Amino acid sequence: MNAFSLESEVRSYSRNWPVVFDRARGSRMTARDGRAYLDFFAGASALNYGHNHPVLKRALLDYLERDGVTHSLDMLTAAKEEFLDEFGARVLAPRRLDYKVQFPGPTGTNSVEAALKLARKVTGRQTVVAFTGGFHGMSLGSLAVTGNAAKRGGAGVPLGHTWRLPYDGFADGGFSGLRLLDAMLDDSSSGLDLPAAVIVETVQGEGGVKPAGHAWLADLAELCERRGILLIVDDIQMGCGRTGPFFSFEAAGVTPDIVCLSKSLSGYGLPMALTLFRAELDVWQPGEHNGTFRGNNPAFVTATAALREFWADSALEKQTEVRGALFEDRLGELAGRYAARVSARRGRGLVWGLVFREAALARRVADEAFARGLLVETSGSDDEVVKLLPPLTATDEELAEGLDILDQAVAAGVDG
Ligand code: PLP
């Protein structure tokens, strides 16, 4: 019997990449048959520093070998202390961010649930404004602020207390969601009461690699501050350097009230999430929001090692920005060559999307890439976008190799 047939129909990535992966190092995953694949998926941005980075692995092995605590709910551990020290010193202090740190549970959606719950508790209000195309996770609170109809449909119950607005550029920029929100809040008969919070991604990842303009984000932050609405930035996919700086909102010069962080935080693919918020928002009662797996100490160890290795200076940030310009050029040239089939390329730092006029072609291109040894996924409302998320630590040669394979895959997909 094929062991994998035991797995539920809910499985997804394994359908597009039907090989058994066994080992992984840096930018490559190797299947059991020995074939290596260049990984421009990077665990959906959970592996910004590549697979099994040797410095992180050493820290983890040393910790395990000395019988460091593996599981600790939210007890005090040496591994947590080191992580908090390092996170405060290397991430928060240099950016003058006066955030408290909550360990909400191991995954991204845990961070979003904590953020939504806290915003409602602090303000005593219920509605959260979310944007078209937004993705925030699969638990009920996160689904309620997620745009995608199929994902919301899985909830099986009404998802309420959410007000949806057009994201920057929605419907070719024909509508201003921010002006609409402002006008509706001015009118006591608009039907919209003052929301508790707005939740936003600076670049929508699952929504099809859609970057919001820096000016739009700054306007949103200004509106929130002026109205007393809490601004939640979901930096789960775009944080930890994916767009260049550690936090993706830095480039827009905004300071969110609440930040959701996960994916590449542990740097090693180990589950870990944080919810950060301004100190005066810390109105939680002890134990009011808890969970068994908030103390994943091996993840704290690799997260600490990652902060020391990659965020002691601005070298990685600068390198990612330079590489972003290279991707913009190469993909711009590719999109221009196939203008009849490709409508745009979008991105920032090392997250890029090639937008196809037909969703079926995006799928064919991703399949052709896989056949040539490159892992890329699709995203967007109809999966019309081929999404590139190479490890930030990929070499220049690996980045060029991936872009060359993509070029060939587009040619083959267009022919096919
Ligand atoms: N928020 C964003 C922006 C995401 O991209 C994701 C996952 O892709 C999530 C939340 C949910 O994270 P998780 O799958 O770890 O629950």
Side-chain angles (χ1 to χ4, degrees):
M1 176 188 144
N2 173 1
F4 296 113
S5 64
L6 198 57
E7 190 177 355
S8 156
E9 291 304 312
V10 80
R11 66 190 184 274
S12 59
Y13 290 111
S14 58
R15 297 175 190 274
N16 295 331
W17 299 321
V19 294
V20 181
F21 293 103
D22 190 33
R23 285 174 297 115
R25 180 83 191 255
S27 306
R28 290 188 207 266
M29 298 186 76
T30 307
R32 198 162 52 190
D33 65 7
R35 179 152 193 212
Y37 293 82
L38 187 56
D39 186 3
F40 272 27
F41 171 59
S45 207
L47 292 161
N48 283 2
Y49 317 121
H51 293 267
N52 293 321
H53 190 282
V55 172
L56 279 55
K57 181 162 70 179
R58 187 71 264 151
L60 180 61
L61 290 174
D62 288 349
Y63 187 75
L64 295 177
E65 244 149 30
R66 72 171 179 81
D67 284 337
V69 171
T70 294
H71 175 270
S72 62
L73 293 114
D74 73 348
M75 290 179 233
L76 307 182
T77 63
K80 183 195 269 193
E81 182 178 40
E82 261 196 86
F83 167 74
L84 286 170
D85 264 349
E86 218 51 54
F87 191 75
R90 287 192 203 269
V91 176
L92 299 182
R95 294 166 181 80
R96 297 184 203 290
L97 292 169
D98 174 29
Y99 287 149
K100 291 295 274 293
V101 176
Q102 178 178 357
F103 295 89
T107 71
T109 202
N110 295 131
S111 172
V112 172
E113 294 289 348
L116 298 174
K117 212 162 150 183
L118 182 67
R120 289 177 168 128
K121 183 174 163 68
V122 167
T123 61
R125 304 176 213 137
Q126 294 182 341
T127 305
V128 173
V129 171
F131 290 99
T132 54
F135 179 78
H136 300 288
M138 299 298 271
S139 51
L140 292 185
S142 305
L143 268 186
V145 287
T146 286
N148 186 284
K151 299 230 163 38
R152 277 185 294 109
V157 292
L159 298 169
H161 310 302
T162 301
W163 194 271
R164 199 90 41 193
L165 282 178
Y167 189 67
D168 191 21
F170 179 74
D172 294 327
F175 306 94
S176 168
L178 303 190
R179 233 178 301 141
L180 179 65
L181 178 59
D182 226 10
M184 289 185 80
L185 291 176
D186 271 341
D187 183 342
S188 61
S189 295
S190 70
L192 177 64
D193 297 327
L194 191 64
V198 167
I199 185 163
V200 70
E201 295 156 89
T202 63
V203 180
Q204 292 184 333
E206 302 306 292
V209 192
K210 292 187 180 145
H214 293 327
W216 186 86
L217 287 167
D219 287 350
L220 174 63
E222 183 278 325
L223 187 158
C224 286
E225 191 175 3
R226 174 162 44 82
R227 297 277 185 184
I229 303 167
L230 297 175
L231 177 62
I232 305 171
V233 170
D234 178 346
D235 227 10
I236 287 166
Q237 189 161 148
M238 296 304 149
C240 301
R242 176 52 62 185
T243 67
F246 187 85
F247 293 111
S248 69
F249 51 80
E250 291 176 53
V254 303
T255 305
D257 299 294
I258 304 179
V259 180
C260 301
L261 215 53
S262 182
K263 292 210 189 258
S264 275
L265 196 52
S266 80
Y268 206 72
L270 298 174
M272 179 174 174
L274 298 179
T275 309
L276 312 173
F277 36 82
R278 284 196 289 110
E280 68 264 35
L281 302 181
D282 194 5
V283 298
W284 290 120
Q285 294 298 310
E288 193 178 2
H289 184 86
N290 62 20
T292 306
F293 289 107
R294 286 170 299 147
N296 185 358
N297 288 269
F300 300 161
V301 168
T302 55
T304 304
L307 292 176
R308 290 178 179 149
E309 182 69 12
F310 297 108
W311 298 100
D313 57 33
S314 57
L316 182 67
E317 171 176 349
K318 291 203 174 103
Q319 175 180 277
T320 301
E321 281 163 3
V322 169
R323 290 170 155 193
L326 180 121
F327 268 58
E328 185 165 20
D329 287 353
R330 282 264 337 236
L331 294 174
E333 190 275 317
L334 181 61
R337 222 170 338 118
Y338 292 98
R341 315 301 293 277
V342 176
S343 63
R345 52 93 170 82
R346 297 189 292 246
R348 189 171 284 159
L350 275 177
V351 50
W352 285 88
L354 202 55
V355 188
F356 288 86
R357 296 187 192 277
E358 294 161 72
L361 181 52
R363 181 69 262 145
R364 274 208 305 281
V365 168
D367 291 344
E368 293 288 351
F370 177 65
R372 288 165 176 74
L374 176 70
L375 304 179
V376 287
E377 70 163 337
T378 56
S379 72
S381 299
D382 301 311
D383 274 324
E384 73 285 10
V385 180
V386 169
K387 181 177 174 193
L388 310 177
L389 288 167
L392 308 181
T393 50
T395 63
D396 289 341
E397 292 72 24
E398 286 166 341
L399 294 180
E401 180 188 338
L403 289 169
D404 287 345
I405 296 176
L406 180 70
D407 207 317
Q408 294 157 19
V410 173
V414 165
D415 278 350

